[in-house]
Amino acid sequence: MKEYSSFKEIDRDLKILKLQTKIDQEEIKLNIERTKSALSPLSLMGSMAGSILQKAFILKAVTKLTGLKKVTASVKK
């Protein structure tokens, strides 16, 4: 535990602690807003669409690199 030699030192440290508390509160507010934004329906759909497009692109690239052709099942009647 820190020992203080004057009230001036105590006041200075209290001021620093109050400012740190305010900074922490603002960071929490920002994180909440970012989380709300990331979990919005529009954002979720956009990330899902991006993921699907990315997987389709990778599949197409792998198919071209390996020379595999798409196999389609034909059903005879």
Side-chain angles (χ1 to χ4, degrees):
M1 180 176 257
K2 184 176 179 178
E3 291 187 23
Y4 295 97
S5 60
S6 70
F7 284 108
K8 188 175 182 177
E9 289 178 11
I10 294 171
D11 288 339
R12 183 184 57 88
D13 279 0
L14 283 174
K15 194 174 198 175
I16 290 170
L17 288 172
K18 286 179 183 178
L19 289 171
Q20 286 175 339
T21 301
K22 286 182 181 180
I23 290 170
D24 291 340
Q25 288 172 345
E26 291 301 317
E27 284 181 347
I28 289 170
K29 288 178 188 177
L30 283 172
N31 287 334
I32 289 171
E33 288 304 314
R34 286 183 191 141
T35 301
K36 282 181 183 178
S37 169
L39 294 177
S40 73
L42 186 61
S43 175
L44 290 174
M45 296 211 16
S47 65
M48 191 183 324
S51 176
I52 291 170
L53 288 173
Q54 182 181 21
K55 287 177 184 174
F57 176 74
I58 290 171
L59 181 62
K60 189 169 186 167
V62 168
T63 303
K64 280 190 175 192
L65 290 173
T66 60
L68 296 175
K69 293 185 179 181
K70 191 175 184 180
V71 177
T72 57
S74 60
V75 179
K76 293 183 180 181
K77 292 184 180 180

